[in-house]
């Protein structure tokens, strides 16, 4: 029997890389039939680069300061990513807004993980805003990447409870744990070809998902 070909992934990072690590762990424990063929960082100090090196994954630093414009950077990034012929490109804490020049050849192949229940709290400092607004729910979202910041079609969310005793550190940790569950889970759906995007609607196993994507409630 021919083995199912595994999903070829490129991961883009800027920092700690704990989501990258969750994906590496899922692959090495055979819970995710995928291969990370490249980790690309736009920050030379990203700890995620060390994580990738330890896992034997090829890494590249592609730094915006080496390019004359955002367009030039996006085109260089596009060409670099294309050399790996990825089935899926995962943004995992990649702090750079990608323009059409990058996105165009990879339509429907780029996912992002965001630390809020989108469409609430796009952008930065989501945990601080949730605490300031005294919300009782928070979480993370995985969505297709489009040129609109944090606004592409949603695939899944993991919801955490915010309690009276929570602070910035504790909700950050809860959201991170939820992320480390959610990203490998969603990537697994891609590996099994269970996810489809059709006219802004995401479906799983042929069933159209709600606008929030599939929601997981993480017990406190
Ligand atoms: C995560 O919270 C993710 O949602 C956001 O950036 C953070 C990256 O964390 N996009 P890490 O680098 O994976 O630890």
């Amino acid at each position: 029997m021919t083995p199912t070909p595994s999903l070829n992934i490129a991961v883009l990072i800027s920092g700690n890389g704990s989501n990258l690590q969750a994906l590496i762990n899922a692959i090495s424990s055979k819970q995710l039939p995928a291969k990370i063929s490249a980790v690309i960082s736009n920050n030379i100090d990203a700890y995620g680069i060390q994580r990738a090196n330890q896992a034997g994954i090829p890494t590249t630093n592609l730094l915006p300061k080496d390019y004359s414009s955002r367009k030039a950077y996006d085109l260089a990034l596009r060409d670099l990513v294309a050399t790996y012929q990825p089935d899926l490109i995962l943004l995992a804490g990649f702090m750079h807004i990608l323009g059409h020049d990058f996105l165009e050849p990879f339509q429907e192949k780029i996912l992002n993980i965001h630390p809020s229940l989108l469409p609430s709290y796009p952008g930065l400092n989501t945990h601080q805003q949730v605490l300031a607004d005294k919300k009782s729910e928070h979480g993370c979202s995985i969505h297709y990447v489009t040129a609109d910041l944090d606004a592409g079609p949603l695939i899944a969310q993991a919801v955490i409870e915010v309690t009276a005793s929570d602070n910035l550190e504790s909700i950050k940790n809860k959201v991170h744990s939820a992320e480390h569950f959610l990203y490998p889970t969603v990537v697994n759906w891609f590996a099994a070809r269970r996810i489809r995007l059709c006219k802004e609607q995401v479906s799983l196993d042929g069933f159209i998902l709600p606008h929030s994507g599939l929601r997981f409630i993480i017990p406190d």
Side-chain angles (χ1 to χ4, degrees):
M1 205 172 102
T2 344
T4 319
S6 71
L7 194 75
N8 178 21
I9 300 174
V11 183
L12 275 51
I13 61 164
S14 301
N16 179 26
S18 67
N19 280 287
L20 167 68
Q21 189 68 57
L23 293 159
I24 291 171
N25 295 349
I27 292 169
S28 63
S29 62
K30 307 227 179 301
Q31 287 166 324
L32 179 57
K35 177 181 182 221
I36 301 176
S37 53
V39 169
I40 299 166
S41 170
N42 66 350
N43 169 16
I44 206 153
D45 297 320
Y47 181 61
I49 288 288
Q50 288 186 43
R51 298 181 190 268
N53 286 336
Q54 272 164 16
I57 300 167
T59 58
T60 309
N61 284 300
L62 197 71
L63 307 180
K65 72 172 178 57
D66 296 333
Y67 294 85
S68 56
S69 64
R70 177 175 282 273
K71 184 180 174 73
Y73 182 79
D74 279 9
L75 289 172
L77 185 62
R78 179 195 72 184
D79 292 347
L80 174 63
V81 170
T83 61
Y84 295 97
Q85 299 187 295
D87 302 308
L88 200 59
I89 299 160
L90 302 178
L91 309 187
F94 186 59
M95 303 298 282
H96 174 84
I97 298 174
L98 292 162
H100 284 290
D101 291 312
F102 179 85
L103 301 174
E104 208 275 323
F106 305 123
Q107 306 266 343
E108 301 181 20
K109 283 189 176 181
I110 315 173
L111 307 185
N112 181 42
I113 187 157
H114 180 78
S116 79
L117 299 173
L118 291 169
S120 299
Y121 306 112
L124 298 174
N125 302 323
T126 60
H127 310 309
Q128 288 90 331
Q129 294 182 65
V130 164
L131 284 177
D133 292 346
K134 301 198 184 327
K135 294 286 183 188
S136 57
E137 272 191 345
H138 186 31
C140 56
S141 305
I142 294 177
H143 63 93
Y144 283 98
V145 174
T146 62
D148 300 323
L149 179 68
D150 299 329
L154 287 159
I155 301 169
Q157 298 189 317
V159 181
I160 60 142
E161 192 186 342
V162 183
T163 64
S165 61
D166 271 319
N167 54 37
L168 192 55
E169 199 56 26
S170 68
I171 63 165
K172 200 169 153 188
N173 288 338
K174 284 196 219 176
V175 170
H176 260 125
S177 302
E179 291 185 338
H180 301 161
F181 152 74
L182 196 63
Y183 227 172
T185 299
V186 168
V187 175
N188 237 313
W189 297 342
F190 276 84
R193 298 172 185 272
R194 297 175 61 192
I195 289 280
R196 291 273 181 280
L197 177 64
C198 185
K199 297 187 186 126
E200 305 268 303
Q201 282 188 320
V202 181
S203 60
L204 175 66
D205 296 338
F207 296 99
I208 293 170
L209 297 178
H211 287 302
S212 64
L214 196 65
R215 275 198 152 197
F216 294 87
I217 312 290
I218 310 290
D220 202 43

